[in-house]
């Protein structure tokens, strides 16, 4: 039996990269959904025309909610960019995994 431990495939790193890519790509959508939900829950008007007054917990959040809502336009860049990044991530992960499997000793053979 060999004293060298066979390194495990770094699935956790690929999972973290996947989560980061998805969060960055969907951040504008999440911003629009959050601002819409807050405005609706407080009975406020929210659109891209201008910032309307919206009192939440005693503070006027109209400007912030309007800015969060307009951030949705970044989806025009982040969704296609995230799709390309996920495709690159997938190709890299599959290539790495296939190389990892090829280098691993076969069960029942001596390294």
């Amino acid at each position: 039996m060999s004293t060298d431990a066979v390194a495990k495939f770094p699935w956790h790193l690929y999972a973290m990269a996947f989560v980061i890519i998805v969060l960055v790509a969907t951040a504008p959508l999440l911003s629009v959904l959050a601002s819409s939900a807050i405005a609706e829950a407080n009975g406020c008007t929210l659109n891209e025309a201008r910032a309307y007054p919206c009192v939440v917990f005693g503070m006027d959040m109209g400007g912030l909610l309007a800015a969060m809502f307009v951030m949705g336009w970044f989806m025009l860049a982040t969704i296609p960019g995230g799709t390309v990044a996920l495709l690159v991530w997938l190709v890299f992960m599959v290539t790495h995994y296939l190389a990892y499997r090829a280098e691993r000793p076969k069960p029942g053979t001596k390294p």
Side-chain angles (χ1 to χ4, degrees), residues 58-96:
M59 297 181 344
D60 181 19
M61 300 290 236
L64 176 64
L65 292 176
M68 288 173 63
F69 191 72
V70 173
M71 292 284 178
W73 283 103
F74 284 125
M75 279 188 287
L76 294 173
T78 62
I79 297 296
T83 303
V84 169
L86 282 176
L87 288 174
V88 169
W89 169 86
L90 182 64
V91 168
F92 190 83
M93 183 187 67
V94 168
T95 305
H96 185 188

Side-chain angles (χ1 to χ4, degrees), residues 12-102:
H12 62 285
L13 295 177
Y14 283 103
M16 286 185 346
F18 177 82
V19 168
I20 290 169
I21 291 169
V22 169
L23 285 177
V24 169
T26 60
L29 175 63
L30 298 175
S31 176
V32 169
L33 293 175
S35 65
S36 297
I38 292 169
E40 186 176 330
N42 290 289
C44 302
T45 302
L46 181 63
N47 60 36
E48 296 171 335
R50 69 180 186 99
Y52 296 96
C54 182
V55 178
V56 179
F57 297 122
M59 297 181 344
D60 181 19
M61 300 290 236
L64 176 64
L65 292 176
M68 288 173 63
F69 191 72
V70 173
M71 292 284 178
W73 283 103
F74 284 125
M75 279 188 287
L76 294 173
T78 62
I79 297 296
T83 303
V84 169
L86 282 176
L87 288 174
V88 169
W89 169 86
L90 182 64
V91 168
F92 190 83
M93 183 187 67
V94 168
T95 305
H96 185 188
Y97 184 70
L98 292 175
Y100 165 79
R101 294 243 340 186

